[in-house]
Amino acid sequence: MDTASTRAYDGVRTVSRALATEAVHAGRDDLARQGLHAPPIDLSTTYPSYDSRREADRIDAFATDGADPAGPPVYGRLGNPTVARFETALARLEGTESAVAFASGMAALSAVLLARSAMGLRHVVAVRPLYGCSDHLLTAGLLGTEVTWTDPAGIADALRPDTGLVMVESPANPTLAELDLRAVAHDCGSVPLLADNTFATPVLQRPAEHGARMVLHSATKYLGGHGDVLAGVVACDEEFAGRLRQIRFATGGVLHPLAGYLLLRGLSTLPVRVRAASANAAELARRLAVDPRVARVRYPRLGGAMIAFEVHGDPHEVISRVRLVTPAVSLGSVDTLIQHPASISHRIVDAEDRRGAGVSDRLLRLSVGLEDVDDLWADLDQALGEPARTPVPLREAVR
């Protein structure tokens, strides 16, 4: 592989391309001219250099603005060519200048918070619900931040001189509540809006087009798409990307090259997977909505492969009875997953805050995969059991 720069292929594409084409070719545009078809995996942690003066200059330049060092790679914490291919591809799919990948979605969010705090902007305005661990990170102030929780209408009034970020998730985890991102971005004024786009993916929504200045993904989910890679990524402008690279270098939250390769491979089928799983989810949501055993179904107007539904019976019993569907945390894989948010993904959120955000004790979250929809329905049908005459009391576990 030509390692003259981790972004040597950035200038290859010169024309606008459709999302499906970009998903297949972004980050790979230089391969054919190198006589390659599949992108190589660069596993090096360090790279030789006989010019130590030049290395010092490049490291000084990185320390100044966080830009990728020009020339050959230097060290794995500064950057990796395989990971850079994924970053280039994701930025193009989201329509941003740059993207910076991390070892997990939480590492990515932590880097954003640290970068803003380093600028003296410790205050965050956030709208619930968010992913449970994101909620906990903000509420606990583990990184020295302070959070004000508000509803979308209260964002403008919650802003302070030290507000560094407004954070939202739409569709939200796990209720699938949707926000008008353009209206939210307007209310943010000059404060950057960070939109978690994990559920929608750039196939269904590109928050940067609606005014978000940062787009967060738990790349573990749909971007990887097969339940075999842990990663996070932030798509943003190049100036903030430089700050994120500096945080990544200092804290060590780097993405492994093999993970970068798997994510780049996952992007190539992202539009096909999301659309196929979304078709399954829409049909399952339709069937659940008319089922007497189901109290409420939430499915985004935007579409997608996620369903949230509340049952009249005991949700824990539903979890215990699935056979084809996998009872597991996470989402976005090719197989269908079901979990009880109040017990797992959002257990770390205070019970009152959790319920106030719409995460009831009877809510189940279904990540719909690529199986035959009739097979999925047959499994859900038997797992739901016989309809109860009256709602079954649900014992809340002691915290």
Side-chain angles (χ1 to χ4, degrees):
M1 175 186 174
D2 177 8
T3 56
S5 170
T6 58
R7 298 186 182 274
Y9 42 84
D10 277 5
V12 174
R13 188 194 65 148
T14 58
V15 296
S16 177
R17 303 190 296 210
L19 180 82
T21 303
E22 205 71 282
V24 172
H25 289 279
R28 306 170 178 85
D29 291 304
D30 64 322
L31 293 179
R33 71 184 185 204
Q34 295 190 56
L36 299 173
H37 184 237
I41 306 174
D42 189 329
L43 294 173
S44 296
T45 57
T46 191
Y47 300 85
S49 174
Y50 292 95
D51 190 344
S52 57
R53 293 183 182 87
R54 186 185 178 204
E55 293 296 83
D57 290 340
R58 294 204 294 158
I59 291 172
D60 287 346
F62 177 83
T64 300
D65 58 14
D68 277 334
V74 179
Y75 183 60
R77 243 184 324 119
L78 276 164
N80 172 272
T82 307
V83 172
R85 289 182 180 276
F86 163 67
E87 293 172 330
T88 294
L90 192 276
R92 293 204 183 144
L93 289 178
E94 284 289 4
T96 60
E97 289 181 338
S98 300
V100 183
F102 294 86
S104 71
M106 291 308 301
L109 176 57
S110 296
V112 171
L113 296 175
L114 289 171
R116 299 302 284 170
S117 293
M119 301 170 67
L121 303 170
R122 298 176 52 253
H123 180 240
V124 177
V125 174
V127 176
R128 281 190 173 112
L130 298 175
Y131 167 53
C133 288
S134 298
D135 188 308
H136 176 66
L137 181 64
L138 294 175
T139 302
L142 296 174
L143 298 179
T145 56
E146 178 185 349
V147 63
T148 296
W149 294 101
T150 185
D151 58 33
I155 288 174
D157 291 337
L159 300 178
R160 305 187 328 204
D162 64 337
T163 302
L165 193 69
V166 174
M167 183 173 180
V168 301
E169 186 173 358
S170 180
N173 186 354
T175 66
L176 305 180
E178 294 175 271
L179 299 177
D180 182 339
L181 291 178
R182 193 175 299 279
V184 170
H186 178 269
D187 289 344
C188 290
S190 61
V191 176
L193 171 63
L194 170 66
D196 188 325
N197 202 33
T198 299
F199 277 22
T201 81
V203 177
L204 301 177
Q205 170 180 270
R206 307 208 315 175
E209 294 179 349
H210 301 287
R213 288 169 55 186
M214 308 167 198
V215 182
L216 174 69
H217 284 273
S218 172
T220 306
K221 313 305 193 294
Y222 289 103
L223 302 189
H226 294 76
D228 56 7
V229 59
L230 197 67
V233 63
V234 179
C236 55
D237 61 35
E238 174 55 27
E239 181 180 0
F240 192 66
R243 292 185 177 274
L244 291 179
R245 293 187 197 106
Q246 290 174 325
I247 295 292
R248 182 176 65 182
F249 173 75
T251 60
V254 296
L255 184 66
H256 192 276
L258 180 57
Y261 172 85
L262 291 172
L263 289 168
L264 185 64
R265 186 175 70 170
L267 289 185
S268 63
T269 61
L270 179 66
V272 177
R273 287 186 287 104
V274 168
R275 288 167 183 150
S278 297
N280 277 351
E283 174 60 19
L284 290 177
R286 185 190 68 79
R287 298 186 190 188
L288 288 167
V290 297
D291 194 297
R293 298 165 294 183
V294 177
R296 183 181 182 186
V297 176
R298 306 176 190 182
Y299 185 67
R301 293 186 301 274
L302 188 68
M306 300 297 300
I307 304 172
F309 63 100
E310 297 177 21
V311 295
H312 289 298
D314 188 336
H316 302 289
E317 290 300 315
V318 178
I319 293 286
S320 71
R321 287 194 291 255
V322 293
R323 294 295 178 265
L324 177 64
V325 175
T326 302
V329 72
S330 198
L331 56 109
S333 185
V334 291
D335 59 325
T336 300
L337 309 177
I338 192 170
Q339 66 117 335
H340 182 242
S343 296
I344 306 179
S345 64
H346 289 70
R347 189 64 183 174
I348 200 168
V349 179
D350 177 79
E352 184 176 345
D353 292 335
R354 187 172 68 227
R355 294 179 188 125
V359 186
S360 78
D361 294 334
R362 295 185 185 275
L363 184 72
L364 292 168
R365 192 189 73 186
L366 189 70
S367 170
V368 182
L370 303 181
E371 302 95 337
D372 183 271
V373 70
D374 288 327
D375 289 335
L376 290 172
W377 177 248
D379 192 39
L380 287 174
D381 183 33
Q382 63 83 25
L384 287 166
E386 295 297 324
R389 293 185 178 181
T390 58
V392 177
L394 182 64
R395 294 180 182 176
E396 175 64 15
V398 178
R399 294 197 64 181

